[in-house]
Amino acid sequence: MSFAFSTGTFRDDYGFRNSAEGIARFPFPFTEERYMYSVNVEPHVPGPKGSAFEHPFDIDEHYLAEMAERDLVLRRDPLRCQSMPHMIQAEWDLVELVMTALARDYPQWFHLARRGDDWHWTNRPMAIDQRFTFGDAASLPCPPLEYIGRQVQGDFTLLDQREDNLWLDAGILTSQGKWSLDFDLGMNFIEWHAPVPLAHGLGVFERALKFLLALRLDGPVRRLNWSICVNPRLDTSLESYPEWGPEHFAVTPETVGHMLQLRVELQSLYRLPRSNAVAFSIRCYLISLDELRTNPAWAARFAAVLRDLHPDLLRYKALAPYRDMIIDRLTRDLT
Amino acid sequence: MTGAIPVRIGSIVQEAPLVKRFRLEPLDGRLPDFSGGAHVVVTMLDGARGRRNAYSLVNPPGDPDRYEIAVRRVADGRGGSIFLHDRVRVGDILTVTPPANLFPLDWRARRHLLIAGGIGITPFVAMTAQLAALGAAFELHYAMRSPLAGAFADRLQQLHGDAVHLYAGSHGERLPIARLIADQLLGTHLYVCGPARLIDEVRATAHAAGWPDAHVHAERFDSARPGAPFTARLARSGRRIAIETDESLLEALEREGVAIDSLCRGGACGRCVTSVAACDGTIEHADHYLSAADKASGRLILPCVSRVRGDGLVLDL
C-alpha cells in the first residue's frame, strides 16, 4: 500500500477525512440487515490484501495524525496510560508483539534488529531510532507500554488472567468510546462489561470469557464493535465529556451528514507468552454518514439495522435522538 | 487451528531412574517464549498411530532455541511415555503445539510458596527460573521417594540455594505441610503439583488455616487413564469409531479425521467439550471443567480424559 499520511485532526477544526481508498477499506461491521449481541469472535487471521484485516496491527493513512492526537491527550491527562506493577512482563510482551508484527508487515517503515536482549528499533515515519535492552525499563525513555502505545494505532488494555477471570490491570487509551480507564482499572471481565444491556441475559459474557481464558498463543481472535459519535473525535472518554458532550446539540438534519460518524472498533486479542496475560487491541475507525453514502449498499444496510435496533441498544449507543435523522440522511436520494 | 511446530530431538538425558529429559530444537526460526508452568502437547507418530501427550516445559524461559520436557516412564499408562523413553532417538523429528499455561503464577504475589511431590516438580523448574530472573521471593519444597529418584533436585539446589528444600521419603523425611502453611506472610501465594493425595491435603490444610482459596493454586493435570474399549457413534454421519484400551476418545476421533478443537488434553480447559446425544452405559467424567450439574446431565463429555463404561455413546457430531 502506498499513500501519504494524512494531517487531519480529531478535535477543534476536525480536519479528519477519509480518502477514497480509506473509505473502500473501511471495516464495515454489518453482515446482515439486523444487529444483536452475540459472541461474534473469529480467528484474527490475515484478511484480503489492502483490507483493515491484512495485518494484525493495521497502519493506515491516519497513523501520524493519531499518534499526534495520542501525544496531546497523554500530556493533558497522564492517567490515560496506567499499569499495575505486576503487569510489567505483559508490557514487555506487548512491545515484542507489536514491534515484530510492524517490522514484518511494514518493512518500509519499521525495522527491528534483536541480538539476545539488545534490541534496535527504527520507526521511520516518526523518526525514532532506539537501542534498548529488552526487559530493562530504564533503557527506554518511558515505560514499555507507553513507549509502544505511542507508536501504534489503536488503544490497548492488558488483561491479567487469574481466578478464571481476566482483570483490566493495565492500559493505554486515548480514543475510548465513552468509558474511563481510571475508573475501570482493576475490574474483571464481568465487572467492566456491567453497563452493557441485554448481553448479560444472553450469556454472552460468560461464554466470551470462557473462550478468552483458553485463548492460544497461536490463535489471536478479533471482533468488530460499533457505535456512533458526533464529529470525528477519537477522545470520547468520560474524562473529556465536558469538551465533546455539548457537540451533540449541533447535530441537525443539515449537519448530520458530515458531523455524525459511524465508529467501528476492530478489537483483537492476543495471548502473551511470558506473562500469560491477554493483550486487547481496540482499533478505532471513523467514517461520516456522507462518506458512508458513497457506498450505497453500506448506507442502505446501516439504515436497515438502525430501523430495527432494539430500544435498549438505541439508548446504550446514544442513538435515540438521531436515529430518524440518520436513516433519512442515509436513504434520501440513494439509488 | 493449532500451529504445530516441528522440532528435532537435540539431546536425551537420564534425569532420574524413570525420568528422561528431552531437548527439543526448532528446525528453523525461533520458538515462542512461554511462562513458568506452561506445557506443550507433543505429537508422536508410532507407526501409523498418532499419540499426543502434554508435558510441562522445564527449561528456563527466554531461550528461542530450545524447549525441554521431562518425561516419567509410566509402565501402565497409554504408551506415550514408553514410546518417548524407548523409541525416540536424538535427531528424530516430533511436533509440539505452541506453549499454553494452565498453571500460571500469580504475578501479584509478594512471595511464592511452591510444593512439589515426585514428577510434580516439572512445572516448578521453569517457574523458579522465571521467578529468580525477576528477583521475586519464593521457596520450593520438593518431596521425593529417594534422593536418587528426585529429578532436577541437585540442579535446583545449585541454582536457587537456600530457597530449595528437599525431602526424601527413603530417609524418613516428610513435607512439613502444616508448618509451611501456618507460617507465611500475608500476600503469599501457594502452588502445589503432584499426586492427588498431596494436592488434597495441601488444599485442605490451607483452607483450614484461613488462606483465601484464590491464593492456593494446584496443577491437577491428569492424563487420560487407560480403560475398557467402547464405541462412539457420530449422530450426523452415522459413523462408528472404536476406542481402544490405550487411547482416549479424543485421540480416537482425531485418528478418524474428526476435527475436535482441543488445548490442554487434560480435562482442564474445556476446549474439546462435545455434546452427547445418547449413551449406552455410564460416562466416567474425569475432567475438572464441567459443573456437577453438567456431569449429572449426561449431555456433555470432555473426550480428552473421559470415557464410557458400557457399550458406548452417540456424539452430536
Side-chain angles (χ1 to χ4, degrees):
Chain A
M1 200 183 354
S2 68
F3 52 73
F5 290 117
S6 74
T7 53
T9 50
F10 300 93
R11 56 180 64 237
D12 304 326
D13 65 343
Y14 292 113
F16 171 91
R17 299 287 179 278
N18 288 301
S19 67
E21 294 75 28
I23 294 172
R25 70 195 300 281
F26 189 83
F28 187 72
F30 303 110
T31 52
E32 50 186 2
E33 310 275 290
R34 59 204 158 84
Y35 178 81
M36 180 38 74
Y37 288 124
S38 63
V39 184
N40 58 334
V41 180
E42 60 181 316
H44 192 27
V45 293
K49 201 165 165 47
S51 74
F53 310 105
E54 182 182 2
H55 302 303
F57 301 104
D58 183 35
I59 301 295
D60 69 9
E61 58 184 336
H62 307 299
Y63 175 57
L64 290 179
E66 281 192 38
M67 295 301 98
E69 163 73 12
R70 170 154 295 166
D71 178 59
L72 196 71
V73 175
L74 286 173
R75 283 173 193 277
R76 288 162 40 139
D77 183 1
L79 294 182
R80 303 297 186 85
C81 179
Q82 297 192 55
S83 180
M84 297 191 188
H86 63 273
M87 299 304 284
I88 185 65
Q89 288 191 106
E91 291 189 42
W92 284 110
D93 278 333
L94 185 70
V95 168
E96 180 189 47
L97 177 70
V98 173
M99 284 188 180
T100 53
L102 293 186
R104 179 194 62 220
D105 299 333
Y106 303 95
Q108 70 276 36
W109 295 326
F110 306 100
H111 185 257
L112 176 66
R114 50 197 285 191
R115 176 179 288 175
D117 289 336
D118 295 327
W119 291 35
H120 183 190
W121 167 248
T122 315
N123 175 340
R124 290 193 192 91
M126 292 183 72
I128 291 170
D129 187 288
Q130 180 77 47
R131 293 175 190 275
F132 64 100
T133 305
F134 187 84
D136 177 10
S139 66
L140 285 176
C142 62
L145 173 61
E146 182 180 347
Y147 183 78
I148 196 63
R150 281 174 169 277
Q151 298 183 53
V152 61
Q153 283 171 273
D155 286 349
F156 285 86
T157 61
L158 298 175
L159 314 176
D160 194 28
Q161 180 159 338
R162 55 179 197 267
E163 298 166 35
D164 291 328
N165 215 321
L166 294 169
W167 303 79
L168 205 174
D169 287 348
I172 178 165
L173 299 106
T174 58
S175 53
Q176 65 261 56
K178 299 166 190 168
W179 63 285
S180 161
L181 172 66
D182 197 40
F183 185 77
D184 283 6
L185 194 73
M187 290 189 187
N188 69 36
F189 189 84
I190 302 298
E191 289 168 347
W192 84 70
H193 283 115
V196 182
L198 299 172
H200 293 274
L202 298 170
V204 165
F205 293 122
E206 284 71 18
R207 275 180 289 139
L209 175 59
K210 257 190 177 169
F211 181 83
L212 292 177
L213 290 172
L215 191 66
R216 289 197 277 228
L217 201 52
D218 62 330
V221 297
R222 67 170 172 248
R223 70 179 284 259
L224 292 175
N225 191 22
W226 69 276
S227 63
I228 56 154
C229 67
V230 174
N231 287 322
R233 186 177 176 100
L234 285 178
D235 175 21
T236 48
S237 64
L238 295 184
E239 283 83 356
S240 59
Y241 181 77
E243 295 172 28
W244 54 266
E247 294 179 358
H248 284 75
F249 297 109
V251 181
T252 66
E254 289 69 43
T255 62
V256 69
H258 70 268
M259 281 190 80
L260 218 113
Q261 315 281 319
L262 173 60
R263 182 185 189 281
V264 171
E265 290 177 353
L266 168 50
Q267 306 179 341
S268 53
L269 296 113
Y270 309 79
R271 171 71 61 195
L272 298 176
R274 299 166 189 81
S275 57
N276 200 44
V278 170
F280 184 25
S281 158
I282 311 160
R283 172 78 160 82
C284 179
Y285 296 84
L286 299 170
I287 189 169
S288 71
L289 295 189
D290 286 347
E291 288 174 339
L292 199 66
R293 275 167 54 94
T294 63
N295 183 331
W298 285 355
R301 175 161 285 182
F302 187 30
V305 165
L306 292 180
R307 208 169 281 131
D308 299 329
L309 197 63
H310 191 287
D312 289 0
L313 284 181
L314 271 183
R315 254 193 310 279
Y316 179 65
K317 292 184 183 282
L319 267 158
Y322 317 111
R323 194 246 305 251
D324 295 342
M325 224 189 282
I326 298 172
I327 293 174
D328 188 53
R329 182 70 192 180
L330 286 173
T331 53
R332 196 193 310 164
D333 309 327
L334 214 58
T335 48
Chain B
M1 161 137 177
T2 302
I5 305 170
V7 288
R8 182 184 292 108
I9 304 289
S11 65
I12 304 174
V13 175
Q14 194 81 40
E15 195 68 40
L18 287 175
V19 180
K20 282 184 176 177
R21 176 163 51 91
F22 297 80
R23 179 185 170 110
L24 314 174
E25 297 167 349
L27 303 191
D28 54 58
R30 307 167 57 90
L31 293 171
D33 211 346
F34 63 96
S35 50
H39 71 270
V40 294
V41 177
V42 180
T43 299
M44 302 155 254
L45 264 185
D46 181 0
R49 159 115 197 247
R51 295 181 185 277
R52 293 183 180 82
N53 279 5
Y55 294 103
S56 298
L57 293 173
V58 297
N59 57 300
D63 182 351
D65 296 325
R66 67 168 159 152
Y67 287 152
E68 290 182 2
I69 57 172
V71 180
R72 182 170 191 272
R73 194 177 191 281
V74 183
D76 58 352
R78 288 174 305 133
S81 70
I82 294 173
F83 180 82
L84 281 169
H85 267 256
D86 299 354
R87 305 270 300 280
V88 168
R89 302 279 177 262
V90 170
D92 286 358
I93 310 282
L94 305 174
T95 61
V96 298
T97 58
N101 198 339
L102 300 171
F103 189 40
L105 290 160
D106 191 316
W107 301 114
R108 297 170 309 161
R110 300 167 70 104
R111 187 174 181 80
H112 303 266
L113 172 61
L114 316 173
I115 298 178
I119 196 65
I121 190 64
T122 56
F124 295 131
V125 180
M127 276 187 187
T128 50
Q130 194 175 14
L131 289 170
L134 290 168
F138 71 90
E139 55 187 271
L140 169 68
H141 297 266
Y142 175 17
M144 62 203 77
R145 222 164 276 164
S146 67
L148 194 63
F152 300 104
D154 293 344
R155 186 140 64 99
L156 287 167
Q157 217 157 27
Q158 279 165 22
L159 284 170
H160 308 303
D162 291 348
V164 176
H165 306 263
L166 307 176
Y167 307 88
S170 59
H171 294 188
E173 296 161 353
R174 295 280 176 269
L175 277 169
I177 292 171
R179 179 177 64 71
L180 288 176
I181 285 173
D183 184 26
Q184 293 294 335
L185 298 170
L186 276 179
T188 303
H189 278 251
L190 165 60
Y191 308 82
V192 55
C193 185
R197 191 167 28 83
L198 172 69
I199 292 172
D200 292 343
E201 185 185 348
V202 167
R203 269 194 189 287
T205 308
H207 190 78
W211 282 60
D213 289 341
H215 284 223
V216 182
H217 313 270
E219 170 104 300
R220 287 181 181 272
F221 206 81
D222 307 336
S223 57
R225 309 304 307 162
F230 62 99
T231 309
R233 194 159 63 79
L234 309 187
R236 283 173 220 166
S237 61
R239 289 173 61 193
R240 302 179 76 87
I241 295 171
I243 293 88
E244 304 295 337
T245 296
D246 59 349
E247 66 183 345
S248 68
L249 173 54
L250 179 61
E251 285 172 337
L253 291 168
E254 288 170 337
R255 162 166 59 76
E256 295 298 316
V258 181
I260 302 270
D261 201 9
S262 70
L263 177 62
C264 76
R265 310 182 74 85
C269 76
R271 264 296 171 100
C272 66
V273 65
T274 303
S275 295
V276 177
C279 182
D280 185 7
T282 314
I283 300 177
E284 296 182 309
H285 291 287
D287 66 271
H288 310 288
Y289 176 81
L290 293 175
S291 67
D294 282 340
K295 287 179 180 172
S297 78
R299 304 286 302 170
L300 296 172
I301 188 170
L302 262 60
C304 62
V305 291
S306 298
R307 308 180 67 87
V308 171
R309 190 172 53 208
D311 287 344
L313 80 177
V314 182
L315 293 172
D316 197 6
L317 288 172

